[in-house]
mmCIF file of all heavy atoms in Angstrom:
data_model
loop_
_atom_site.group_PDB
_atom_site.id
_atom_site.type_symbol
_atom_site.label_atom_id
_atom_site.label_comp_id
_atom_site.label_asym_id
_atom_site.label_seq_id
_atom_site.Cartn_x
_atom_site.Cartn_y
_atom_site.Cartn_z
ATOM 1 N N PHE A 1 -178.714 136.789 -33.854
ATOM 2 C CA PHE A 1 -178.200 136.001 -32.736
ATOM 3 C C PHE A 1 -176.742 135.618 -32.992
ATOM 4 O O PHE A 1 -176.441 134.513 -33.449
ATOM 5 C CB PHE A 1 -179.087 134.759 -32.580
ATOM 6 C CG PHE A 1 -178.735 133.890 -31.405
ATOM 7 C CD1 PHE A 1 -178.517 134.439 -30.159
ATOM 8 C CD2 PHE A 1 -178.647 132.507 -31.540
ATOM 9 C CE1 PHE A 1 -178.205 133.636 -29.070
ATOM 10 C CE2 PHE A 1 -178.336 131.694 -30.463
ATOM 11 C CZ PHE A 1 -178.112 132.265 -29.225
ATOM 12 N N PHE A 2 -175.832 136.552 -32.689
ATOM 13 C CA PHE A 2 -174.409 136.311 -32.862
ATOM 14 C C PHE A 2 -173.669 136.709 -31.586
ATOM 15 O O PHE A 2 -174.082 137.636 -30.874
ATOM 16 C CB PHE A 2 -173.842 137.091 -34.044
ATOM 17 C CG PHE A 2 -174.295 136.594 -35.385
ATOM 18 C CD1 PHE A 2 -175.115 137.373 -36.186
ATOM 19 C CD2 PHE A 2 -173.910 135.348 -35.857
ATOM 20 C CE1 PHE A 2 -175.541 136.913 -37.427
ATOM 21 C CE2 PHE A 2 -174.332 134.880 -37.094
ATOM 22 C CZ PHE A 2 -175.142 135.670 -37.879
ATOM 23 N N GLY A 3 -172.547 136.013 -31.333
ATOM 24 C CA GLY A 3 -171.759 136.304 -30.150
ATOM 25 C C GLY A 3 -171.240 137.722 -30.121
ATOM 26 O O GLY A 3 -171.144 138.337 -29.057
ATOM 27 N N GLY A 4 -170.889 138.268 -31.287
ATOM 28 C CA GLY A 4 -170.378 139.631 -31.330
ATOM 29 C C GLY A 4 -171.398 140.656 -30.872
ATOM 30 O O GLY A 4 -171.039 141.681 -30.271
ATOM 31 N N VAL A 5 -172.674 140.406 -31.139
ATOM 32 C CA VAL A 5 -173.725 141.305 -30.663
ATOM 33 C C VAL A 5 -173.832 141.210 -29.143
ATOM 34 O O VAL A 5 -173.957 142.224 -28.440
ATOM 35 C CB VAL A 5 -175.081 140.968 -31.329
ATOM 36 C CG1 VAL A 5 -176.183 141.868 -30.798
ATOM 37 C CG2 VAL A 5 -174.971 141.107 -32.848
ATOM 38 N N LYS A 6 -173.768 139.992 -28.620
ATOM 39 C CA LYS A 6 -173.816 139.804 -27.165
ATOM 40 C C LYS A 6 -172.666 140.537 -26.482
ATOM 41 O O LYS A 6 -172.870 141.207 -25.456
ATOM 42 C CB LYS A 6 -173.765 138.312 -26.842
ATOM 43 C CG LYS A 6 -173.760 138.001 -25.354
ATOM 44 C CD LYS A 6 -173.661 136.501 -25.115
ATOM 45 C CE LYS A 6 -173.562 136.181 -23.625
ATOM 46 N NZ LYS A 6 -173.428 134.726 -23.383
ATOM 47 N N VAL A 7 -171.468 140.445 -27.047
ATOM 48 C CA VAL A 7 -170.305 141.111 -26.460
ATOM 49 C C VAL A 7 -170.511 142.618 -26.427
ATOM 50 O O VAL A 7 -170.217 143.288 -25.428
ATOM 51 C CB VAL A 7 -169.030 140.746 -27.254
ATOM 52 C CG1 VAL A 7 -167.882 141.681 -26.916
ATOM 53 C CG2 VAL A 7 -168.642 139.297 -26.976
ATOM 54 N N MET A 8 -171.031 143.184 -27.509
ATOM 55 C CA MET A 8 -171.273 144.620 -27.569
ATOM 56 C C MET A 8 -172.271 145.057 -26.496
ATOM 57 O O MET A 8 -172.078 146.068 -25.815
ATOM 58 C CB MET A 8 -171.799 144.999 -28.951
ATOM 59 C CG MET A 8 -172.078 146.473 -29.128
ATOM 60 S SD MET A 8 -173.440 146.752 -30.275
ATOM 61 C CE MET A 8 -174.805 146.019 -29.378
ATOM 62 N N ILE A 9 -173.346 144.286 -26.307
ATOM 63 C CA ILE A 9 -174.347 144.628 -25.304
ATOM 64 C C ILE A 9 -173.740 144.529 -23.908
ATOM 65 O O ILE A 9 -174.014 145.367 -23.025
ATOM 66 C CB ILE A 9 -175.581 143.719 -25.430
ATOM 67 C CG1 ILE A 9 -176.254 143.908 -26.793
ATOM 68 C CG2 ILE A 9 -176.584 144.031 -24.321
ATOM 69 C CD1 ILE A 9 -177.367 142.911 -27.080
ATOM 70 N N MET A 10 -172.894 143.529 -23.677
ATOM 71 C CA MET A 10 -172.238 143.391 -22.375
ATOM 72 C C MET A 10 -171.335 144.589 -22.085
ATOM 73 O O MET A 10 -171.297 145.091 -20.951
ATOM 74 C CB MET A 10 -171.441 142.093 -22.331
ATOM 75 C CG MET A 10 -172.311 140.839 -22.322
ATOM 76 S SD MET A 10 -171.340 139.311 -22.504
ATOM 77 C CE MET A 10 -170.392 139.341 -20.987
ATOM 78 N N GLN A 11 -170.618 145.066 -23.093
ATOM 79 C CA GLN A 11 -169.822 146.277 -22.917
ATOM 80 C C GLN A 11 -170.714 147.452 -22.518
ATOM 81 O O GLN A 11 -170.409 148.215 -21.589
ATOM 82 C CB GLN A 11 -169.090 146.632 -24.216
ATOM 83 C CG GLN A 11 -167.918 145.765 -24.567
ATOM 84 C CD GLN A 11 -167.192 146.284 -25.804
ATOM 85 O OE1 GLN A 11 -167.475 147.380 -26.297
ATOM 86 N NE2 GLN A 11 -166.259 145.507 -26.309
ATOM 87 N N ALA A 12 -171.820 147.595 -23.238
ATOM 88 C CA ALA A 12 -172.727 148.705 -22.979
ATOM 89 C C ALA A 12 -173.282 148.650 -21.558
ATOM 90 O O ALA A 12 -173.345 149.667 -20.850
ATOM 91 C CB ALA A 12 -173.866 148.701 -24.002
ATOM 92 N N GLU A 13 -173.671 147.468 -21.109
ATOM 93 C CA GLU A 13 -174.211 147.336 -19.758
ATOM 94 C C GLU A 13 -173.164 147.684 -18.704
ATOM 95 O O GLU A 13 -173.472 148.320 -17.691
ATOM 96 C CB GLU A 13 -174.724 145.915 -19.543
ATOM 97 C CG GLU A 13 -176.012 145.607 -20.292
ATOM 98 C CD GLU A 13 -176.522 144.208 -20.007
ATOM 99 O OE1 GLU A 13 -175.720 143.366 -19.549
ATOM 100 O OE2 GLU A 13 -177.714 143.968 -20.241
ATOM 101 N N ALA A 14 -171.927 147.254 -18.935
ATOM 102 C CA ALA A 14 -170.864 147.555 -17.976
ATOM 103 C C ALA A 14 -170.590 149.049 -17.910
ATOM 104 O O ALA A 14 -170.295 149.588 -16.838
ATOM 105 C CB ALA A 14 -169.589 146.793 -18.349
ATOM 106 N N LEU A 15 -170.677 149.734 -19.026
ATOM 107 C CA LEU A 15 -170.490 151.190 -19.030
ATOM 108 C C LEU A 15 -171.625 151.892 -18.297
ATOM 109 O O LEU A 15 -171.411 152.887 -17.609
ATOM 110 C CB LEU A 15 -170.384 151.693 -20.468
ATOM 111 C CG LEU A 15 -169.080 151.339 -21.182
ATOM 112 C CD1 LEU A 15 -169.211 151.560 -22.686
ATOM 113 C CD2 LEU A 15 -167.921 152.184 -20.626
ATOM 114 N N VAL A 16 -172.842 151.371 -18.412
ATOM 115 C CA VAL A 16 -173.966 151.932 -17.651
ATOM 116 C C VAL A 16 -173.713 151.766 -16.152
ATOM 117 O O VAL A 16 -173.965 152.688 -15.358
ATOM 118 C CB VAL A 16 -175.295 151.264 -18.063
ATOM 119 C CG1 VAL A 16 -176.408 151.622 -17.081
ATOM 120 C CG2 VAL A 16 -175.688 151.694 -19.468
ATOM 121 N N ARG A 17 -173.195 150.610 -15.762
ATOM 122 C CA ARG A 17 -172.893 150.392 -14.337
ATOM 123 C C ARG A 17 -171.872 151.388 -13.824
ATOM 124 O O ARG A 17 -171.826 151.684 -12.629
ATOM 125 C CB ARG A 17 -172.390 148.958 -14.116
ATOM 126 C CG ARG A 17 -173.446 147.884 -14.302
ATOM 127 C CD ARG A 17 -173.017 146.563 -13.705
ATOM 128 N NE ARG A 17 -171.875 145.977 -14.386
ATOM 129 C CZ ARG A 17 -171.964 145.149 -15.424
ATOM 130 N NH1 ARG A 17 -173.142 144.833 -15.932
ATOM 131 N NH2 ARG A 17 -170.870 144.631 -15.971
ATOM 132 N N ARG A 18 -171.044 151.918 -14.717
ATOM 133 C CA ARG A 18 -170.045 152.913 -14.331
ATOM 134 C C ARG A 18 -170.592 154.333 -14.430
ATOM 135 O O ARG A 18 -169.838 155.302 -14.321
ATOM 136 C CB ARG A 18 -168.783 152.750 -15.182
ATOM 137 C CG ARG A 18 -168.068 151.424 -14.926
ATOM 138 C CD ARG A 18 -166.787 151.299 -15.734
ATOM 139 N NE ARG A 18 -165.774 152.251 -15.307
ATOM 140 C CZ ARG A 18 -164.984 152.092 -14.260
ATOM 141 N NH1 ARG A 18 -165.107 151.025 -13.484
ATOM 142 N NH2 ARG A 18 -164.084 153.009 -13.943
ATOM 143 N N GLY A 19 -171.887 154.467 -14.650
ATOM 144 C CA GLY A 19 -172.514 155.782 -14.569
ATOM 145 C C GLY A 19 -172.767 156.468 -15.885
ATOM 146 O O GLY A 19 -173.242 157.605 -15.904
ATOM 147 N N HIS A 20 -172.474 155.813 -17.016
ATOM 148 C CA HIS A 20 -172.656 156.444 -18.317
ATOM 149 C C HIS A 20 -174.045 156.151 -18.880
ATOM 150 O O HIS A 20 -174.698 155.175 -18.489
ATOM 151 C CB HIS A 20 -171.578 155.960 -19.289
ATOM 152 C CG HIS A 20 -170.188 156.204 -18.784
ATOM 153 N ND1 HIS A 20 -169.629 157.458 -18.709
ATOM 154 C CD2 HIS A 20 -169.246 155.345 -18.307
ATOM 155 C CE1 HIS A 20 -168.397 157.380 -18.215
ATOM 156 N NE2 HIS A 20 -168.152 156.096 -17.964
ATOM 157 N N ARG A 21 -174.477 156.990 -19.796
ATOM 158 C CA ARG A 21 -175.740 156.764 -20.501
ATOM 159 C C ARG A 21 -175.395 156.151 -21.856
ATOM 160 O O ARG A 21 -174.750 156.791 -22.685
ATOM 161 C CB ARG A 21 -176.496 158.075 -20.686
ATOM 162 C CG ARG A 21 -177.754 157.933 -21.524
ATOM 163 C CD ARG A 21 -178.551 159.214 -21.513
ATOM 164 N NE ARG A 21 -179.670 159.155 -22.446
ATOM 165 C CZ ARG A 21 -180.757 159.890 -22.336
ATOM 166 N NH1 ARG A 21 -180.884 160.752 -21.338
ATOM 167 N NH2 ARG A 21 -181.732 159.789 -23.216
ATOM 168 N N VAL A 22 -175.801 154.907 -22.059
ATOM 169 C CA VAL A 22 -175.431 154.184 -23.272
ATOM 170 C C VAL A 22 -176.688 153.802 -24.040
ATOM 171 O O VAL A 22 -177.633 153.251 -23.464
ATOM 172 C CB VAL A 22 -174.610 152.923 -22.947
ATOM 173 C CG1 VAL A 22 -174.128 152.254 -24.236
ATOM 174 C CG2 VAL A 22 -173.425 153.265 -22.050
ATOM 175 N N THR A 23 -176.668 154.080 -25.337
ATOM 176 C CA THR A 23 -177.782 153.734 -26.213
ATOM 177 C C THR A 23 -177.265 152.922 -27.385
ATOM 178 O O THR A 23 -176.262 153.290 -28.003
ATOM 179 C CB THR A 23 -178.489 154.992 -26.754
ATOM 180 O OG1 THR A 23 -178.888 155.814 -25.660
ATOM 181 C CG2 THR A 23 -179.715 154.614 -27.583
ATOM 182 N N ILE A 24 -177.919 151.829 -27.660
ATOM 183 C CA ILE A 24 -177.638 151.052 -28.862
ATOM 184 C C ILE A 24 -178.604 151.528 -29.940
ATOM 185 O O ILE A 24 -179.816 151.515 -29.732
ATOM 186 C CB ILE A 24 -177.798 149.553 -28.609
ATOM 187 C CG1 ILE A 24 -176.749 149.096 -27.586
ATOM 188 C CG2 ILE A 24 -177.670 148.750 -29.904
ATOM 189 C CD1 ILE A 24 -176.947 147.683 -27.095
ATOM 190 N N VAL A 25 -178.058 151.960 -31.056
ATOM 191 C CA VAL A 25 -178.860 152.509 -32.141
ATOM 192 C C VAL A 25 -178.811 151.554 -33.322
ATOM 193 O O VAL A 25 -177.721 151.156 -33.761
ATOM 194 C CB VAL A 25 -178.346 153.894 -32.576
ATOM 195 C CG1 VAL A 25 -179.199 154.458 -33.712
ATOM 196 C CG2 VAL A 25 -178.329 154.860 -31.395
ATOM 197 N N SER A 26 -179.958 151.174 -33.827
ATOM 198 C CA SER A 26 -180.019 150.266 -34.971
ATOM 199 C C SER A 26 -181.256 150.542 -35.803
ATOM 200 O O SER A 26 -182.311 150.863 -35.252
ATOM 201 C CB SER A 26 -180.056 148.811 -34.493
ATOM 202 O OG SER A 26 -180.170 147.925 -35.599
ATOM 203 N N PRO A 27 -181.142 150.426 -37.132
ATOM 204 C CA PRO A 27 -182.336 150.521 -37.968
ATOM 205 C C PRO A 27 -183.216 149.280 -37.859
ATOM 206 O O PRO A 27 -184.345 149.285 -38.348
ATOM 207 C CB PRO A 27 -181.759 150.677 -39.381
ATOM 208 C CG PRO A 27 -180.415 150.033 -39.313
ATOM 209 C CD PRO A 27 -179.908 150.283 -37.932
ATOM 210 N N GLN A 28 -182.708 148.221 -37.230
ATOM 211 C CA GLN A 28 -183.440 146.970 -37.082
ATOM 212 C C GLN A 28 -184.009 146.854 -35.668
ATOM 213 O O GLN A 28 -183.568 147.539 -34.751
ATOM 214 C CB GLN A 28 -182.519 145.788 -37.382
ATOM 215 C CG GLN A 28 -181.924 145.804 -38.773
ATOM 216 C CD GLN A 28 -182.991 145.752 -39.850
ATOM 217 O OE1 GLN A 28 -183.962 144.996 -39.737
ATOM 218 N NE2 GLN A 28 -182.818 146.544 -40.902
ATOM 219 N N PRO A 29 -184.989 145.974 -35.451
ATOM 220 C CA PRO A 29 -185.599 145.849 -34.128
ATOM 221 C C PRO A 29 -184.611 145.392 -33.056
ATOM 222 O O PRO A 29 -183.573 144.796 -33.333
ATOM 223 C CB PRO A 29 -186.699 144.796 -34.346
ATOM 224 C CG PRO A 29 -186.985 144.822 -35.806
ATOM 225 C CD PRO A 29 -185.682 145.142 -36.466
ATOM 226 N N ARG A 30 -184.980 145.657 -31.821
ATOM 227 C CA ARG A 30 -184.208 145.234 -30.658
ATOM 228 C C ARG A 30 -184.035 143.701 -30.669
ATOM 229 O O ARG A 30 -184.979 142.972 -30.973
ATOM 230 C CB ARG A 30 -184.974 145.642 -29.397
ATOM 231 C CG ARG A 30 -184.422 145.103 -28.095
ATOM 232 C CD ARG A 30 -185.474 145.222 -26.998
ATOM 233 N NE ARG A 30 -185.859 146.595 -26.772
ATOM 234 C CZ ARG A 30 -185.437 147.334 -25.749
ATOM 235 N NH1 ARG A 30 -184.616 146.812 -24.860
ATOM 236 N NH2 ARG A 30 -185.844 148.569 -25.602
ATOM 237 N N PRO A 31 -182.843 143.199 -30.342
ATOM 238 C CA PRO A 31 -182.669 141.744 -30.249
ATOM 239 C C PRO A 31 -183.661 141.146 -29.257
ATOM 240 O O PRO A 31 -183.760 141.616 -28.119
ATOM 241 C CB PRO A 31 -181.226 141.601 -29.755
ATOM 242 C CG PRO A 31 -180.545 142.870 -30.163
ATOM 243 C CD PRO A 31 -181.596 143.932 -30.083
ATOM 244 N N ASP A 32 -184.372 140.115 -29.681
ATOM 245 C CA ASP A 32 -185.366 139.510 -28.808
ATOM 246 C C ASP A 32 -184.824 138.328 -28.020
ATOM 247 O O ASP A 32 -185.553 137.698 -27.259
ATOM 248 C CB ASP A 32 -186.598 139.081 -29.619
ATOM 249 C CG ASP A 32 -186.264 138.048 -30.693
ATOM 250 O OD1 ASP A 32 -185.096 137.624 -30.778
ATOM 251 O OD2 ASP A 32 -187.179 137.680 -31.459
ATOM 252 N N TRP A 33 -183.542 138.033 -28.190
ATOM 253 C CA TRP A 33 -182.938 136.887 -27.528
ATOM 254 C C TRP A 33 -182.088 137.292 -26.327
ATOM 255 O O TRP A 33 -181.492 136.444 -25.662
ATOM 256 C CB TRP A 33 -182.070 136.102 -28.510
ATOM 257 C CG TRP A 33 -181.106 136.949 -29.294
ATOM 258 C CD1 TRP A 33 -181.310 137.509 -30.518
ATOM 259 C CD2 TRP A 33 -179.789 137.353 -28.898
ATOM 260 N NE1 TRP A 33 -180.202 138.232 -30.915
ATOM 261 C CE2 TRP A 33 -179.255 138.149 -29.939
ATOM 262 C CE3 TRP A 33 -179.011 137.119 -27.767
ATOM 263 C CZ2 TRP A 33 -177.989 138.718 -29.867
ATOM 264 C CZ3 TRP A 33 -177.748 137.675 -27.697
ATOM 265 C CH2 TRP A 33 -177.257 138.461 -28.760
ATOM 266 N N TYR A 34 -182.024 138.590 -26.038
ATOM 267 C CA TYR A 34 -181.170 139.079 -24.955
ATOM 268 C C TYR A 34 -182.000 139.951 -24.023
ATOM 269 O O TYR A 34 -182.747 140.823 -24.475
ATOM 270 C CB TYR A 34 -179.994 139.881 -25.514
ATOM 271 C CG TYR A 34 -178.900 140.154 -24.503
ATOM 272 C CD1 TYR A 34 -177.815 139.300 -24.386
ATOM 273 C CD2 TYR A 34 -178.959 141.262 -23.670
ATOM 274 C CE1 TYR A 34 -176.810 139.530 -23.457
ATOM 275 C CE2 TYR A 34 -177.962 141.510 -22.732
ATOM 276 C CZ TYR A 34 -176.891 140.640 -22.633
ATOM 277 O OH TYR A 34 -175.901 140.862 -21.706
ATOM 278 N N GLU A 35 -181.865 139.736 -22.717
ATOM 279 C CA GLU A 35 -182.592 140.518 -21.723
ATOM 280 C C GLU A 35 -181.777 141.767 -21.394
ATOM 281 O O GLU A 35 -180.765 141.703 -20.706
ATOM 282 C CB GLU A 35 -182.811 139.681 -20.453
ATOM 283 C CG GLU A 35 -183.713 140.352 -19.430
ATOM 284 C CD GLU A 35 -185.142 140.485 -19.899
ATOM 285 O OE1 GLU A 35 -185.607 139.589 -20.628
ATOM 286 O OE2 GLU A 35 -185.786 141.496 -19.541
ATOM 287 N N PHE A 36 -182.217 142.910 -21.902
ATOM 288 C CA PHE A 36 -181.499 144.158 -21.677
ATOM 289 C C PHE A 36 -181.628 144.586 -20.215
ATOM 290 O O PHE A 36 -182.665 144.386 -19.574
ATOM 291 C CB PHE A 36 -182.054 145.268 -22.574
ATOM 292 C CG PHE A 36 -181.510 145.245 -23.967
ATOM 293 C CD1 PHE A 36 -181.906 144.266 -24.863
ATOM 294 C CD2 PHE A 36 -180.590 146.186 -24.393
ATOM 295 C CE1 PHE A 36 -181.411 144.228 -26.143
ATOM 296 C CE2 PHE A 36 -180.083 146.159 -25.680
ATOM 297 C CZ PHE A 36 -180.497 145.176 -26.556
ATOM 298 N N GLY A 37 -180.576 145.224 -19.710
ATOM 299 C CA GLY A 37 -180.628 145.836 -18.399
ATOM 300 C C GLY A 37 -180.991 147.308 -18.539
ATOM 301 O O GLY A 37 -182.055 147.663 -19.046
ATOM 302 N N ALA A 38 -180.056 148.170 -18.123
ATOM 303 C CA ALA A 38 -180.313 149.613 -18.161
ATOM 304 C C ALA A 38 -179.856 150.256 -19.467
ATOM 305 O O ALA A 38 -179.946 151.477 -19.625
ATOM 306 C CB ALA A 38 -179.620 150.284 -16.981
ATOM 307 N N VAL A 39 -179.357 149.474 -20.396
ATOM 308 C CA VAL A 39 -178.940 150.020 -21.690
ATOM 309 C C VAL A 39 -180.181 150.414 -22.490
ATOM 310 O O VAL A 39 -181.156 149.673 -22.554
ATOM 311 C CB VAL A 39 -178.110 148.986 -22.473
ATOM 312 C CG1 VAL A 39 -177.748 149.512 -23.853
ATOM 313 C CG2 VAL A 39 -176.858 148.611 -21.695
ATOM 314 N N ARG A 40 -180.128 151.578 -23.091
ATOM 315 C CA ARG A 40 -181.242 152.039 -23.918
ATOM 316 C C ARG A 40 -181.104 151.475 -25.327
ATOM 317 O O ARG A 40 -179.996 151.202 -25.789
ATOM 318 C CB ARG A 40 -181.258 153.574 -23.982
ATOM 319 C CG ARG A 40 -181.389 154.241 -22.616
ATOM 320 C CD ARG A 40 -181.048 155.727 -22.693
ATOM 321 N NE ARG A 40 -181.042 156.313 -21.369
ATOM 322 C CZ ARG A 40 -182.058 156.986 -20.838
ATOM 323 N NH1 ARG A 40 -183.165 157.150 -21.552
ATOM 324 N NH2 ARG A 40 -181.974 157.503 -19.636
ATOM 325 N N PHE A 41 -182.225 151.328 -25.994
ATOM 326 C CA PHE A 41 -182.225 150.876 -27.385
ATOM 327 C C PHE A 41 -183.102 151.815 -28.192
ATOM 328 O O PHE A 41 -184.243 152.098 -27.815
ATOM 329 C CB PHE A 41 -182.746 149.446 -27.506
ATOM 330 C CG PHE A 41 -182.614 148.876 -28.899
ATOM 331 C CD1 PHE A 41 -181.482 148.181 -29.275
ATOM 332 C CD2 PHE A 41 -183.615 149.070 -29.841
ATOM 333 C CE1 PHE A 41 -181.349 147.670 -30.562
ATOM 334 C CE2 PHE A 41 -183.500 148.569 -31.123
ATOM 335 C CZ PHE A 41 -182.353 147.864 -31.491
ATOM 336 N N GLU A 42 -182.552 152.302 -29.296
ATOM 337 C CA GLU A 42 -183.303 153.189 -30.183
ATOM 338 C C GLU A 42 -183.326 152.576 -31.582
ATOM 339 O O GLU A 42 -182.278 152.419 -32.205
ATOM 340 C CB GLU A 42 -182.663 154.579 -30.244
ATOM 341 C CG GLU A 42 -183.424 155.541 -31.148
ATOM 342 C CD GLU A 42 -182.688 156.855 -31.368
ATOM 343 O OE1 GLU A 42 -181.467 156.912 -31.112
ATOM 344 O OE2 GLU A 42 -183.338 157.816 -31.812
ATOM 345 N N GLN A 43 -184.502 152.224 -32.046
ATOM 346 C CA GLN A 43 -184.629 151.761 -33.422
ATOM 347 C C GLN A 43 -184.892 152.971 -34.305
ATOM 348 O O GLN A 43 -185.954 153.591 -34.241
ATOM 349 C CB GLN A 43 -185.769 150.752 -33.572
ATOM 350 C CG GLN A 43 -185.865 150.179 -34.998
ATOM 351 C CD GLN A 43 -186.977 149.166 -35.148
ATOM 352 O OE1 GLN A 43 -187.584 148.722 -34.167
ATOM 353 N NE2 GLN A 43 -187.260 148.777 -36.385
ATOM 354 N N ALA A 44 -183.889 153.305 -35.105
ATOM 355 C CA ALA A 44 -183.999 154.491 -35.948
ATOM 356 C C ALA A 44 -182.943 154.426 -37.035
ATOM 357 O O ALA A 44 -181.896 153.788 -36.872
ATOM 358 C CB ALA A 44 -183.795 155.767 -35.115
ATOM 359 N N ALA A 45 -183.235 155.091 -38.150
ATOM 360 C CA ALA A 45 -182.190 155.294 -39.152
ATOM 361 C C ALA A 45 -181.090 156.133 -38.503
ATOM 362 O O ALA A 45 -181.373 157.039 -37.717
ATOM 363 C CB ALA A 45 -182.764 155.999 -40.375
#
């Protein structure tokens, strides 16, 4: 739960609104404190 993570997700969502396919990739679980829109999340190495 950090502001920098929120900013990154907001960037990703805005890029999706512009027609791009955006995926957040992390070895850790999806943030449970943020309601994702159309941004994809992949938990993977």
Side-chain angles (χ1 to χ4, degrees):
F1 184 47
F2 290 113
V5 178
K6 178 182 176 182
V7 165
M8 180 211 65
I9 298 172
M10 291 172 65
Q11 286 185 9
E13 288 182 340
L15 288 165
V16 168
R17 291 196 294 270
R18 294 182 67 81
H20 304 289
R21 175 172 173 156
V22 185
T23 305
I24 296 171
V25 180
S26 178
Q28 301 299 318
R30 171 197 299 257
D32 61 3
W33 49 267
Y34 193 93
E35 187 67 34
F36 278 73
V39 176
R40 301 166 186 262
F41 187 91
E42 181 188 18
Q43 184 179 350

